[in-house]
Short mmCIF file of all heavy atoms in Angstrom, two decimals:
data_model
loop_
_atom_site.label_atom_id
_atom_site.label_comp_id
_atom_site.label_asym_id
_atom_site.label_seq_id
_atom_site.Cartn_x
_atom_site.Cartn_y
_atom_site.Cartn_z
N ARG X 3 -20.35 26.01 -6.26
CA ARG X 3 -18.99 26.01 -5.72
C ARG X 3 -18.29 27.29 -6.08
O ARG X 3 -18.11 27.61 -7.27
CB ARG X 3 -18.19 24.82 -6.28
CG ARG X 3 -18.79 23.48 -5.90
CD ARG X 3 -18.57 23.15 -4.41
NE ARG X 3 -19.41 22.02 -4.00
CZ ARG X 3 -20.62 22.20 -3.45
NH1 ARG X 3 -21.12 23.39 -3.27
NH2 ARG X 3 -21.33 21.15 -3.10
N ARG X 12 -9.88 19.56 0.73
CA ARG X 12 -9.14 18.60 1.55
C ARG X 12 -8.28 17.68 0.69
O ARG X 12 -7.14 17.41 1.01
CB ARG X 12 -10.12 17.75 2.39
CG ARG X 12 -10.69 18.50 3.58
CD ARG X 12 -11.70 17.66 4.34
NE ARG X 12 -11.11 16.48 4.95
CZ ARG X 12 -10.73 16.42 6.26
NH1 ARG X 12 -10.90 17.48 7.02
NH2 ARG X 12 -10.24 15.34 6.75
N PHE X 23 5.77 15.87 2.11
CA PHE X 23 6.26 14.96 3.18
C PHE X 23 7.30 14.00 2.60
O PHE X 23 8.30 13.68 3.23
CB PHE X 23 5.11 14.18 3.80
CG PHE X 23 4.17 15.00 4.66
CD1 PHE X 23 2.96 14.49 5.09
CD2 PHE X 23 4.52 16.29 5.03
CE1 PHE X 23 2.11 15.25 5.88
CE2 PHE X 23 3.68 17.07 5.84
CZ PHE X 23 2.47 16.52 6.25
N ALA X 45 -3.79 30.33 6.10
CA ALA X 45 -5.14 30.34 6.72
C ALA X 45 -6.10 29.47 5.91
O ALA X 45 -7.00 28.86 6.47
CB ALA X 45 -5.64 31.76 6.84
N VAL X 47 -5.33 26.76 4.35
CA VAL X 47 -5.06 25.36 4.71
C VAL X 47 -5.67 25.05 6.08
O VAL X 47 -6.26 23.98 6.28
CB VAL X 47 -3.54 25.10 4.74
CG1 VAL X 47 -3.22 23.68 5.21
CG2 VAL X 47 -2.93 25.34 3.36
N GLN X 50 -9.20 23.88 6.15
CA GLN X 50 -9.47 22.48 5.86
C GLN X 50 -9.03 21.55 7.00
O GLN X 50 -9.70 20.56 7.30
CB GLN X 50 -8.70 22.08 4.59
CG GLN X 50 -8.99 22.94 3.36
CD GLN X 50 -10.39 22.71 2.78
OE1 GLN X 50 -11.07 21.81 3.17
NE2 GLN X 50 -10.76 23.56 1.84
N PHE X 51 -7.92 21.87 7.62
CA PHE X 51 -7.40 21.06 8.72
C PHE X 51 -7.00 21.99 9.84
O PHE X 51 -6.23 22.89 9.65
CB PHE X 51 -6.21 20.22 8.27
CG PHE X 51 -6.54 19.18 7.25
CD1 PHE X 51 -6.38 19.48 5.89
CD2 PHE X 51 -7.01 17.94 7.61
CE1 PHE X 51 -6.69 18.51 4.91
CE2 PHE X 51 -7.31 16.99 6.66
CZ PHE X 51 -7.14 17.26 5.31
N ASP X 56 -3.52 16.86 12.04
CA ASP X 56 -4.71 16.34 11.37
C ASP X 56 -4.41 16.00 9.92
O ASP X 56 -5.01 15.06 9.34
CB ASP X 56 -5.84 17.35 11.45
CG ASP X 56 -6.36 17.51 12.87
OD1 ASP X 56 -6.06 16.63 13.70
OD2 ASP X 56 -7.02 18.50 13.16
N VAL X 58 -1.46 14.96 8.77
CA VAL X 58 -0.70 13.68 8.82
C VAL X 58 -1.67 12.52 9.05
O VAL X 58 -1.58 11.48 8.40
CB VAL X 58 0.36 13.74 9.95
CG1 VAL X 58 1.12 12.41 10.01
CG2 VAL X 58 1.31 14.89 9.72
N ALA X 60 -4.78 12.30 8.28
CA ALA X 60 -5.61 12.08 7.08
C ALA X 60 -4.82 11.25 6.06
O ALA X 60 -5.35 10.29 5.48
CB ALA X 60 -6.04 13.40 6.48
N PHE X 72 -6.94 -5.77 3.42
CA PHE X 72 -6.26 -7.04 3.11
C PHE X 72 -5.80 -7.77 4.38
O PHE X 72 -5.71 -9.01 4.40
CB PHE X 72 -5.11 -6.85 2.13
CG PHE X 72 -3.83 -6.28 2.66
CD1 PHE X 72 -2.99 -7.05 3.45
CD2 PHE X 72 -3.44 -4.98 2.38
CE1 PHE X 72 -1.78 -6.53 3.95
CE2 PHE X 72 -2.24 -4.46 2.84
CZ PHE X 72 -1.43 -5.24 3.65
N ALA X 76 -6.81 -11.56 5.04
CA ALA X 76 -5.78 -12.56 5.30
C ALA X 76 -6.05 -13.30 6.61
O ALA X 76 -5.75 -14.49 6.70
CB ALA X 76 -4.40 -11.87 5.34
N SER X 81 -5.16 -21.47 6.83
CA SER X 81 -3.92 -21.89 7.50
C SER X 81 -3.01 -20.71 7.75
O SER X 81 -3.11 -19.68 7.04
CB SER X 81 -3.17 -22.92 6.63
OG SER X 81 -2.51 -22.26 5.58
N ALA X 89 -1.09 -11.99 3.32
CA ALA X 89 -0.69 -10.71 3.90
C ALA X 89 0.49 -10.11 3.12
O ALA X 89 0.54 -8.90 2.87
CB ALA X 89 -0.29 -10.89 5.37
N ASP X 110 9.13 8.02 9.30
CA ASP X 110 9.22 9.42 9.72
C ASP X 110 8.92 9.45 11.23
O ASP X 110 7.90 9.00 11.68
CB ASP X 110 8.18 10.25 8.95
CG ASP X 110 8.36 11.72 9.20
OD1 ASP X 110 8.31 12.15 10.37
OD2 ASP X 110 8.58 12.47 8.23
N PRO X 111 9.87 10.00 12.02
CA PRO X 111 9.67 10.00 13.47
C PRO X 111 8.39 10.66 13.89
O PRO X 111 7.75 10.24 14.87
CB PRO X 111 10.89 10.78 13.95
CG PRO X 111 11.89 10.70 12.88
CD PRO X 111 11.13 10.62 11.60
N VAL X 113 5.56 10.76 12.18
CA VAL X 113 4.50 9.81 11.87
C VAL X 113 4.41 8.75 12.94
O VAL X 113 3.31 8.38 13.42
CB VAL X 113 4.70 9.19 10.47
CG1 VAL X 113 3.69 8.08 10.23
CG2 VAL X 113 4.55 10.24 9.39
N ARG X 115 5.33 8.95 16.00
CA ARG X 115 4.79 9.57 17.24
C ARG X 115 3.25 9.68 17.17
O ARG X 115 2.55 9.35 18.12
CB ARG X 115 5.39 10.96 17.40
CG ARG X 115 5.30 11.56 18.80
CD ARG X 115 5.82 13.00 18.81
NE ARG X 115 5.12 13.87 17.90
CZ ARG X 115 3.88 14.33 18.10
NH1 ARG X 115 3.23 13.99 19.17
NH2 ARG X 115 3.31 15.12 17.20
N ALA X 119 0.13 7.46 19.19
CA ALA X 119 -0.91 8.11 20.00
C ALA X 119 -2.32 7.66 19.55
O ALA X 119 -3.30 8.05 20.16
CB ALA X 119 -0.79 9.64 19.86
N LEU X 123 -4.67 2.70 14.85
CA LEU X 123 -3.72 2.63 13.75
C LEU X 123 -2.58 1.68 14.10
O LEU X 123 -2.16 0.89 13.25
CB LEU X 123 -3.15 4.03 13.44
CG LEU X 123 -4.20 5.12 13.09
CD1 LEU X 123 -3.49 6.41 12.76
CD2 LEU X 123 -5.08 4.66 11.97
N LEU X 134 2.41 -12.04 9.36
CA LEU X 134 3.63 -12.34 8.65
C LEU X 134 4.54 -13.24 9.49
O LEU X 134 5.27 -14.09 8.95
CB LEU X 134 4.39 -11.04 8.31
CG LEU X 134 3.70 -10.15 7.26
CD1 LEU X 134 4.46 -8.86 7.10
CD2 LEU X 134 3.63 -10.89 5.90
N ALA X 146 13.68 -12.38 9.13
CA ALA X 146 13.26 -12.42 7.71
C ALA X 146 12.08 -11.49 7.48
O ALA X 146 12.02 -10.76 6.47
CB ALA X 146 12.90 -13.85 7.32
N VAL X 150 12.17 -8.45 4.88
CA VAL X 150 11.27 -8.43 3.75
C VAL X 150 10.35 -7.20 3.80
O VAL X 150 10.17 -6.52 2.79
CB VAL X 150 10.40 -9.71 3.73
CG1 VAL X 150 9.31 -9.59 2.70
CG2 VAL X 150 11.28 -10.93 3.44
N GLY X 151 9.81 -6.93 4.96
CA GLY X 151 8.90 -5.78 5.06
C GLY X 151 9.57 -4.47 4.66
O GLY X 151 9.06 -3.73 3.81
N ASP X 160 12.64 3.71 -3.49
CA ASP X 160 13.99 3.96 -3.98
C ASP X 160 14.06 4.84 -5.23
O ASP X 160 13.52 4.48 -6.26
CB ASP X 160 14.65 2.60 -4.27
CG ASP X 160 16.17 2.67 -4.27
OD1 ASP X 160 16.68 3.77 -4.58
OD2 ASP X 160 16.83 1.67 -3.97
N LEU X 178 10.19 -12.31 -5.41
CA LEU X 178 11.30 -12.29 -4.47
C LEU X 178 10.84 -12.42 -3.01
O LEU X 178 11.44 -13.20 -2.24
CB LEU X 178 12.07 -10.97 -4.65
CG LEU X 178 13.32 -10.72 -3.78
CD1 LEU X 178 14.35 -11.81 -4.05
CD2 LEU X 178 13.90 -9.35 -4.05
#
Side-chain angles (χ1 to χ4, degrees):
Chain X
R3 298 289 166 266
R12 285 178 65 98
F23 289 169
V47 176
Q50 305 288 352
F51 294 94
D56 292 343
V58 179
F72 78 73
S81 78
D110 189 302
V113 172
R115 199 185 57 74
L123 302 183
L134 292 174
V150 171
D160 202 332
L178 182 61

